[in-house]
Amino acid sequence: MTGYAQKALVSGMRFLAESQAAIANNLANAETASFKRRAAIATEGSEFADQLDRRLPTVGVQEGIDWRLGNVRETGNQLDIALEQGSFLRVQDGGGRTYYTRNGKLQLDRDGFVVTQSGMRYLDAAGSPIKLDRNELTLSALSIAPNGEITNQQTGRSFGQIGVFQLPDTAPLRAVGAGIYQDSQKQQPVPAQSGVQQGYEENSNVDSLQEMVQMIVVQRSFAATQRALGSVDRMHDRLIANLNR
């Protein structure tokens, strides 16, 4: 029976360790634009049978993402865009792999492609990289409409429509870092026709004070679980000692 208790306590400690890691990641990204807080979620893991032939579950762990909208603030930067809740931009890495992000801090690389801070290219509504004419278009003339259409206000020339999409289900999205998410189920995205705010930025939805309080709670729970595991280990040793007499 002590072996079962040890297994249950160890699985609990694993959940607490994952919770602590998620909290640390949230705090590290509290100032990252559009970052969505993450949390470890306890699930029912494998089962084991006790001496009374009952089935007792252990704790499994999976990551959950809090998709609530962060505060939106005006930046005045023509290359900053904020999205309404539930919408995503599509980006592509150097290997052609496609991801989703809510980070609308657009940048231009030396070739005129619209890229993320890490160099991924933003895609238009048709799935192609967006390229601007840097010789013609100045930032002061750049206009991004609520539907994502990029135009030169002075000449009226259009440079295409930045792709803004919604997904049938956000649960399959997995964070891969820097506010980038991969859709594990490769769902068909639905184009969004509005909701883009030029010159605005969505802040992280992390509440630093709340995360610090939660970190203290997790640390105390981990310490208590460690003590319980130590007690079970000593009980196990005493049982072994008694059996060997």
Side-chain angles (χ1 to χ4, degrees):
M1 187 64 181
T2 55
Y4 300 146
Q6 288 171 324
K7 183 176 180 180
L9 289 168
V10 168
S11 68
M13 290 176 68
R14 175 172 173 266
F15 165 70
L16 292 169
E18 293 290 342
S19 296
Q20 192 77 321
I23 292 169
N25 185 62
N26 292 340
L27 289 171
N29 288 279
E31 302 300 323
T32 301
S34 307
F35 178 81
K36 299 303 177 190
R37 68 179 298 274
R38 287 142 66 176
I41 299 175
T43 62
E44 185 172 310
S46 59
E47 294 182 336
F48 58 83
D50 69 6
Q51 292 173 329
L52 299 177
D53 293 327
R54 292 178 298 179
R55 307 299 295 183
L56 300 178
T58 59
V59 176
V61 185
Q62 68 181 30
E63 183 179 83
I65 301 174
D66 182 354
W67 293 110
R68 287 178 297 177
L69 192 68
N71 292 328
V72 176
R73 68 180 184 90
E74 186 174 5
T75 65
N77 186 337
Q78 297 296 87
L79 282 173
D80 284 344
I81 60 173
L83 307 177
E84 65 182 7
Q85 185 160 349
S87 294
F88 294 89
L89 304 170
R90 295 178 77 188
V91 293
Q92 188 179 72
D93 67 10
R97 292 177 291 270
T98 301
Y99 302 88
Y100 292 92
T101 185
R102 284 185 55 84
N103 192 332
K105 292 191 72 65
L106 314 181
Q107 296 186 1
L108 296 181
D109 67 12
R110 62 183 180 181
D111 297 317
F113 286 101
V114 183
V115 298
T116 67
Q117 293 169 303
S118 61
M120 287 188 177
R121 292 177 176 177
Y122 287 95
L123 303 180
D124 63 18
S128 299
I130 302 169
K131 188 176 183 180
L132 307 183
D133 187 342
R134 300 191 65 169
N135 295 322
E136 172 195 332
L137 184 62
T138 62
L139 289 184
S140 60
L142 185 147
S143 174
I144 304 177
N147 68 351
E149 187 77 19
I150 303 174
T151 58
N152 185 331
Q153 294 182 98
Q154 297 173 345
T155 66
R157 179 184 173 185
S158 173
F159 292 91
Q161 181 181 5
I162 189 167
V164 183
F165 302 90
Q166 294 189 339
L167 293 168
D169 186 9
T170 57
L173 292 181
R174 298 290 178 263
V176 296
I180 305 296
Y181 303 92
Q182 185 175 41
D183 183 6
S184 61
Q185 293 187 3
K186 302 186 184 303
Q187 304 170 86
Q188 183 63 39
V190 179
Q193 301 302 319
S194 63
V196 176
Q197 291 181 278
Q198 183 183 17
Y200 287 82
E201 174 185 272
E202 180 191 359
N203 293 333
S204 161
N205 66 355
V206 174
D207 183 329
S208 296
L209 180 58
Q210 181 184 30
E211 295 295 324
M212 290 297 294
V213 171
Q214 188 62 26
M215 177 177 283
I216 293 171
V217 171
V218 170
Q219 287 174 337
R220 290 177 176 175
S221 297
F222 192 90
T225 306
Q226 276 187 316
R227 291 194 295 271
L229 183 60
S231 297
V232 171
D233 287 341
R234 289 190 293 274
M235 184 185 301
H236 177 76
D237 291 341
R238 286 197 295 270
L239 286 171
I240 295 298
N242 290 335
L243 288 173
N244 291 332
R245 287 181 180 176

